[in-house]
Amino acid sequence: DAGVTQSPTHLIKTRGQQVTLRCSPKSGHDTVSWYQQALGQGPQFIFQYYEEEERQRGNFPDRFSGHQFPNYSSELNVNALLLGDSALYLCASSLYGTDTYNEQFFGPGTRLTVL
Amino acid sequence: KQEVTQIPAALSVPEGENLVLNCSFTDSAIYNLQWFRQDPGKGLTSLLLIQSSQREQTSGRLNASLDKSSGRSTLYIAASQPGDSATYLCAVGSSNTGKLIFGQGTTLQVKP
């Protein structure tokens, strides 16, 4: 049973560039959430996708956008990168509409460094 | 606004010791609470999930309790081992929508 996968593992960009991160949910899951984790901090919720629509959004600027595909995989796009965007980006998947809906399974993350 | 706090931020214990990690939250109207383990630079591994109607969950040497009225959860680790060294994060789900609010974590070091 495949768990949550993310690509790439590491990424180095310069300020002002754009980046796309990818996530495939755990087999059988249909909901994807993205989190940003700065060094030494707990993860912060960015947004969540279900049925190819953004369902919830955290306190992040519009430079952060996403997409969900019919196969439930998802992308996170960040435009006009800032130094402060350097972080570990985590993807979590879950199954909507069940008693265990809120149990989140996380991927290994993508380490983004902005120079 | 829900806020989650974990104390202490770091903990060092000798191997074999039983220990308790603490998590507190400001709004008792939670849907559930989840404990995670994170190794350096890695993703999160789910340890235990407690639904709001439950008081505790157990998995092996781990036991997590939940007291919604006091806004507290504890993670008990029995007979700690060096392999337990990691950062432990607690996260609160405030509704059935899947969004989690995390504490900053407790970094545990178990010395041989």
Side-chain angles (χ1 to χ4, degrees):
Chain A
D1 181 18
V4 181
T5 61
Q6 293 186 243
S7 63
T9 305
H10 296 90
L11 207 50
I12 299 175
K13 293 286 187 179
T14 58
R15 281 177 295 175
Q17 286 189 310
Q18 179 264 344
V19 67
T20 297
L21 311 181
R22 296 175 176 83
C23 171
S24 291
K26 178 179 169 65
S27 178
H29 283 182
D30 56 9
T31 303
V32 172
S33 300
W34 287 92
Y35 291 81
Q36 180 194 66
Q37 186 179 25
L39 198 62
Q41 304 294 315
Q44 299 287 320
F45 177 79
I46 302 175
F47 44 52
Q48 179 187 78
Y49 278 84
Y50 169 66
E51 291 188 329
E52 302 180 46
E53 290 187 7
E54 183 181 295
R55 298 291 175 165
Q56 287 193 98
R57 189 178 184 90
N59 188 26
F60 280 81
D62 292 343
R63 298 187 297 109
F64 290 76
S65 63
H67 187 78
Q68 185 179 36
F69 300 93
N71 67 354
Y72 308 120
S73 67
S74 176
E75 288 182 348
L76 164 65
N77 301 293
V78 187
N79 295 321
L81 284 167
L82 304 173
L83 295 178
D85 294 332
S86 294
L88 181 68
Y89 288 84
L90 296 163
C91 167
S93 75
S94 56
L95 182 61
Y96 181 83
T98 67
D99 287 344
T100 57
Y101 166 66
N102 232 16
E103 184 166 16
Q104 307 280 303
F105 292 85
F106 282 78
T110 293
R111 171 70 63 187
L112 173 64
T113 301
V114 182
L115 302 177
Chain B
K1 176 187 174 185
Q2 180 73 269
E3 293 183 0
V4 181
T5 303
Q6 292 185 249
I7 295 173
L11 184 62
S12 181
V13 300
E15 182 177 2
E17 193 163 293
N18 302 325
L19 57 100
V20 174
L21 306 182
N22 296 297
C23 172
S24 61
F25 44 94
T26 54
D27 186 348
S28 62
I30 68 170
Y31 188 74
N32 60 24
L33 186 144
Q34 201 166 352
W35 282 93
F36 294 91
R37 167 186 174 139
Q38 185 174 34
D39 293 297
K42 305 296 185 182
L44 277 60
T45 300
S46 179
L47 297 173
L48 290 164
L49 169 71
I50 310 176
Q51 303 290 356
S52 61
S53 59
Q54 298 174 322
R55 297 281 296 182
E56 65 178 344
Q57 282 286 336
T58 298
S59 176
R61 295 183 294 109
L62 305 180
N63 175 276
S65 67
L66 174 64
D67 184 344
K68 285 199 307 178
S69 61
S70 66
R72 293 184 61 187
S73 176
T74 61
L75 179 66
Y76 175 83
I77 303 177
S80 59
Q81 303 171 357
D84 294 331
S85 298
T87 295
Y88 291 81
L89 293 154
C90 101
V92 169
S94 292
S95 69
N96 66 346
T97 59
K99 173 183 175 181
L100 293 178
I101 299 169
F102 282 83
Q104 291 193 321
T106 294
T107 299
L108 172 66
Q109 182 184 35
V110 181
K111 297 181 178 179

